Amino acid sequence: MSTHTHEKHDEHHDHNHGGIFGEKTELYFAILSGVFFFIGLILEKFTNLSGIKLLVSFMIAFFFGGYYTTIEAIGKIKKREFEIDFLMLVAALGAAYIEKWEEGALLLFLFSLGHALENYAMSKAKKSIEALGELTPKTALVKENNSTKEVSVEALKINDVIVVQPNTKIAADGVIIKGKTSINQASITGESMPVDKEEIGELNKIPDFKDIEEKNKVYTGTINGNNVIEVKVLRLHKDSTISRLIKMVSEADTQKSPTQLATKKFEKWFVPFVIILVFTLCFAHLVINETVNESLYRAITVLVAASPCALAISTPSAVLSGIARAANKGVLIKGGRALEDLGSLTTIAFDKTGTLTEGKPRLTNAIPLNGFEKNEFLRIVLAVETLSNHPLAKAITKDIQSTYAVASLGNASNIKAIQGKGISADYMENMVFIGNEALMDSQSILISETVKQQMNVLLQEGQTTMLVAYKQNLIGLLSVMDVPRKHAKETLSKLKDIGIQKMIMLTGDHQNVGNSIAKQIGLTEAKGNLLPEDKVTAIQQLKKANTKIAMVGDGVNDAPAMAHSTVGIAMGAAGSDVALETADVALLSDKIENLPFVIGLSRKSKSIIKQNLWISLGVVALLIPATLFGFASIGPAVIMHEGSTLLVVLNALRLLRYNEN
């Protein structure tokens, strides 16, 4: 990978050439250039050597300092491009031509040293991305009959069964078919705590990888806990989540931000201006009282001062560092545009189900009526609902057992579904009915006005209510609801604190449901009863009013709305092909609380980009008049030029250590 100006498609330099000393060859060549430059100075000051004997040391400094600069310049000239390496080489050769060998050697020494140090510094950002590739183990243990065989991960096939030993990396995306464990998924999702995993129930009906519950699926490169598990391979190595992430993150820095585009446009006009200015200065002796050599020296010095090296790398270095930091935190940002746009947001629209809420119903109320004993009421409900496969029944069963610690006596039988009304079952030789008012009316079970008022209050809050009758008497009221995520309210509060002015829910659920959730977690507004195309319309309207808007969803049914927003943000995208492909930003874990971090990182990136632009343009603005009017020679100009380049890179690398306050 390139490590100098970090744009692919040959738009900038790549000084990571390698050589006889490996990847540090350019640094060693720069040091040798410096050594021979200082030897030349010493010989010049303290010996009587003259002519070619004195110049040998400077010539050797020229060779080592100009070696990679020449390679770059020739490569660009072949493509009819003239960039910074070419300008520096011309300046050095010009200095030699006017017999300023020591200044030409100093120029190439500092230029090559600056680039080598810049290369070293920027490789830290690249290595944060490249480290993803090292997460995948090289081999896997494939189960064959009662034995295992070690094979390369590239040789794994769909439906192979691999055995994963304790504390080892998982070699493929797949589903656990045997065993329970805890898995460290930090490499994929950024989660700091291990996640409990268990084998899937029905081995004969394994769904597509994207449809498998998180508790049953595993990802390549994650680390198994203390138990042996068996995993059925569902994705080939090249299609694994980690492989796609490596590809997307490594390509992300090629997508230019608005600032990069503006900078590139500025360079397009600035570089020809510099060349014309320098060419003109070469003939200054025709109009002012100075020698030819003095005019050439001034022109060369201005050429060094005006070369926009720091400007060229100021934005790409920050974009790369920001993307690398986000990837380390389990967030995929697809390019500089998305990174910058995130920091400009003042409005965020959210999908409800699975984004702001848990995405599954929870038992919110279990109220005994008419003096019926609560534990007995819960035991009856549990016994009946345990027999049902309906999602609401499963939610009620789970929550009664976990929240109320009630155990089923298993005395229910003969369960029947009553279309559009509810269910009935036998319990202790008596009928139990669980369902809506219509079911109770059909069985001539009396519902008091007080109970109807209770139900109406719950309905206004967006809850789904069910009545429970036993022995022809109403014994209780149940309500279920898709409840807010644990950290949703805290996250929205943080977003508000960092300047997000509007937070709007777009949901297909009833308006009452949206209003209830909005009130609980602190949303600005909720829009209910929306079809996917209605969400697109809502996004377009919000964009007209607020300019930049993000849409946060699951990346599947919200994909159209994401596509029309300024920034599409997908939640829980690690297992979703659609989310990874359609979103501009993908939160790989299912954690909404990562949103403030991402927006904060974007704002910090924008701030650093702005700082870098001021540094780079400020130095150029200072050096051009200083060299033009003879206040600065090549030495100080080169030091400030290379110093500013290194400074903007080091400033950008601060993003690698960014943490939310």
Side-chain angles (χ1 to χ4, degrees):
M1 291 187 181
S2 66
T3 45
H4 171 45
T5 321
H6 318 294
E7 286 288 2
K8 297 186 180 181
H9 312 300
D10 298 314
E11 291 187 11
H12 292 289
H13 312 305
D14 175 3
H15 287 267
N16 191 14
H17 301 288
I20 59 173
F21 300 117
E23 63 179 19
K24 293 184 178 179
T25 301
E26 184 178 16
L27 177 61
Y28 294 147
F29 271 36
I31 293 171
L32 286 171
S33 176
V35 168
F36 283 100
F37 165 71
F38 285 112
I39 289 173
L41 283 184
I42 292 169
L43 293 175
E44 188 178 45
K45 297 291 183 184
F46 300 105
T47 70
N48 295 321
L49 291 176
S50 61
I52 192 68
K53 294 178 182 179
L54 182 63
L55 294 181
V56 167
S57 186
F58 290 129
M59 288 178 177
I60 297 173
F62 258 70
F63 170 78
F64 284 116
Y67 182 80
Y68 284 114
T69 305
T70 304
I71 289 175
E72 286 292 332
I74 292 172
K76 293 296 181 181
I77 290 170
K78 285 180 179 178
K79 297 174 185 177
R80 298 182 180 180
E81 297 174 6
F82 299 92
E83 293 194 1
I84 295 161
D85 297 276
F86 173 75
L87 299 181
M88 292 296 101
L89 191 61
V90 169
L93 293 175
Y97 175 76
I98 60 174
E99 298 183 354
K100 295 284 186 179
W101 282 90
E102 66 279 10
E103 303 221 17
L106 174 64
L107 166 60
L108 290 178
F109 160 52
L110 292 178
F111 185 69
S112 61
L113 180 63
H115 279 208
L117 292 174
E118 175 193 320
N119 176 31
Y120 173 76
M122 282 305 300
S123 70
K124 293 180 68 176
K126 282 289 183 183
K127 284 175 181 176
S128 295
I129 294 172
E130 291 169 352
L132 289 170
E134 298 170 6
L135 296 172
T136 308
K138 306 302 179 191
T139 61
L141 290 175
V142 177
K143 187 176 181 181
E144 291 185 348
N145 300 320
N146 293 323
S147 62
T148 58
K149 180 176 71 172
E150 189 172 52
V151 301
S152 69
V153 292
E154 290 83 4
L156 289 174
K157 301 185 291 293
I158 302 294
N159 293 327
D160 276 351
V161 175
I162 59 174
V163 177
V164 186
Q165 299 293 340
N167 305 310
T168 61
K169 291 178 181 177
I170 294 169
D173 285 7
V175 60
I176 299 175
I177 59 172
K178 186 176 181 181
K180 292 184 177 181
T181 190
S182 291
I183 291 180
N184 183 339
Q185 298 190 151
S187 58
I188 297 291
T189 64
E191 294 167 286
S192 58
M193 298 298 293
V195 179
D196 291 336
K197 302 281 184 174
E198 62 186 47
E199 62 191 60
I200 196 167
E202 299 182 41
L203 296 180
N204 296 326
K205 295 182 180 179
I206 295 177
D208 290 340
F209 183 78
K210 66 179 182 297
D211 297 324
I212 296 172
E213 290 190 48
E214 281 296 321
K215 66 179 180 181
N216 304 129
K217 69 169 66 171
V218 295
Y219 301 103
T220 305
T222 56
I223 302 172
N224 186 23
N226 296 322
N227 297 321
V228 178
I229 56 173
E230 292 183 10
V231 174
K232 177 173 274 194
V233 177
L234 298 182
R235 279 179 172 168
L236 298 176
H237 175 66
K238 63 183 178 65
D239 299 322
S240 68
T241 300
I242 192 71
S243 295
R244 298 202 321 277
L245 291 183
I246 294 166
K247 183 174 182 290
M248 288 179 178
V249 174
S250 62
E251 291 176 350
D253 64 304
T254 67
Q255 300 179 29
K256 296 184 193 63
S257 70
T259 305
Q260 281 175 281
L261 293 172
T263 302
K264 193 70 181 173
K265 191 173 182 180
F266 174 79
E267 286 179 45
K268 184 179 178 181
W269 292 100
F270 181 70
V271 171
F273 166 77
V274 169
I275 293 173
I276 292 170
L277 174 63
V278 169
F279 182 76
T280 303
L281 289 173
C282 291
F283 301 97
H285 62 278
L286 298 176
V287 293
I288 62 175
N289 185 25
E290 64 181 15
T291 65
V292 172
N293 279 2
E294 287 173 337
S295 292
L296 290 176
Y297 184 81
R298 186 202 311 275
I300 292 166
T301 309
V302 170
L303 178 60
V304 172
S307 295
C309 196
L311 179 65
I313 199 172
S314 60
T315 306
S317 59
V319 168
L320 181 69
S321 297
I323 290 171
R325 176 65 185 118
N328 184 253
K329 189 79 171 178
V331 180
L332 172 60
I333 300 176
K334 294 185 182 177
R337 177 172 291 279
L339 182 66
E340 282 199 33
D341 283 344
L342 273 170
S344 305
L345 296 173
T346 57
T347 303
I348 301 179
F350 297 88
D351 174 45
K352 179 185 79 71
T353 306
T355 301
L356 292 173
T357 65
E358 293 182 357
K360 50 192 174 184
R362 294 289 302 271
L363 179 64
T364 48
N365 286 286
I367 306 167
L369 300 172
N370 299 325
F372 204 84
E373 201 273 321
K374 186 168 186 175
N375 275 351
E376 180 62 18
F377 163 61
L378 292 172
R379 273 195 292 270
I380 292 172
V381 173
L382 182 59
V384 173
E385 296 287 22
T386 301
L387 302 177
S388 174
N389 288 321
H390 193 280
L392 291 183
K394 289 182 177 180
I396 291 168
T397 300
K398 179 182 176 182
D399 288 343
I400 287 178
Q401 290 173 325
S402 61
T403 305
Y404 298 100
V406 173
S408 172
L409 299 177
N411 291 324
S413 62
N414 197 28
I415 188 169
K416 294 178 182 177
I418 304 169
Q419 188 65 34
K421 296 180 180 180
I423 58 173
S424 67
D426 293 330
Y427 180 79
M428 303 287 285
E429 300 180 357
N430 288 283
M431 292 291 291
V432 175
F433 296 96
I434 303 177
N436 55 23
E437 286 187 61
L439 177 60
M440 300 301 139
D441 290 341
S442 69
Q443 301 300 317
S444 301
I445 296 168
L446 182 65
I447 307 172
S448 69
E449 285 301 317
T450 303
V451 172
K452 287 182 179 181
Q453 288 176 5
Q454 277 183 290
M455 292 177 66
N456 190 53
V457 170
L458 294 172
L459 286 169
Q460 289 299 317
E461 293 176 356
Q463 303 194 45
T464 300
T465 59
M466 287 162 279
L467 295 165
V468 183
Y470 178 54
K471 295 181 181 180
Q472 289 300 111
N473 289 311
L474 208 58
I475 65 168
L477 171 64
L478 302 170
S479 69
V480 294
M481 187 179 185
D482 184 10
V483 297
R485 285 176 174 270
K486 182 179 179 182
H487 297 287
K489 185 174 182 178
E490 176 189 350
T491 299
L492 296 184
S493 177
K494 284 184 179 179
L495 290 173
K496 186 177 180 181
D497 290 343
I498 63 174
I500 303 300
Q501 297 167 7
K502 289 186 178 180
M503 292 173 283
I504 302 164
M505 179 197 294
L506 305 179
T507 178
D509 278 350
H510 193 278
Q511 185 67 47
N512 287 345
V513 177
N515 291 340
S516 175
I517 297 293
K519 186 177 180 181
Q520 290 180 60
I521 62 178
L523 284 165
T524 311
E525 185 182 350
K527 294 178 181 286
N529 302 311
L530 300 180
L531 296 172
E533 55 266 33
D534 297 327
K535 291 184 180 181
V536 172
T537 302
I539 289 291
Q540 290 172 334
Q541 291 172 345
L542 288 166
K543 279 182 74 174
K544 286 181 182 178
N546 305 285
T547 309
K548 291 191 176 181
I549 181 170
M551 175 67 195
V552 186
D554 62 10
V556 183
N557 59 346
D558 297 308
M562 285 184 189
H564 283 80
S565 63
T566 310
V567 183
I569 303 174
M571 291 270 298
S576 169
D577 295 330
V578 178
L580 286 173
E581 289 166 7
T582 61
D584 301 301
V585 177
L587 308 182
L588 302 178
S589 69
D590 205 25
K591 291 186 173 182
I592 193 172
E593 55 266 36
N594 277 342
L595 263 181
F597 165 81
V598 177
I599 293 173
L601 174 65
S602 170
R603 291 181 175 177
K604 187 67 175 178
S605 299
K606 288 190 72 173
S607 172
I608 283 181
I609 288 171
K610 194 176 291 185
Q611 292 168 14
N612 282 355
L613 291 176
W614 276 109
I615 291 169
S616 56
L617 291 173
V619 168
V620 169
L622 177 68
L623 281 180
I624 288 178
T627 52
L628 186 61
F629 296 108
F631 299 127
S633 61
I634 285 182
V638 172
I639 291 171
M640 288 192 69
H641 176 272
E642 291 307 311
S644 66
T645 302
L646 197 56
L647 181 60
V648 298
V649 174
L650 293 174
N651 191 39
L653 290 182
R654 292 194 297 131
L655 286 169
L656 293 176
R657 302 181 66 181
Y658 173 80
N659 279 305
E660 187 185 350
N661 292 333

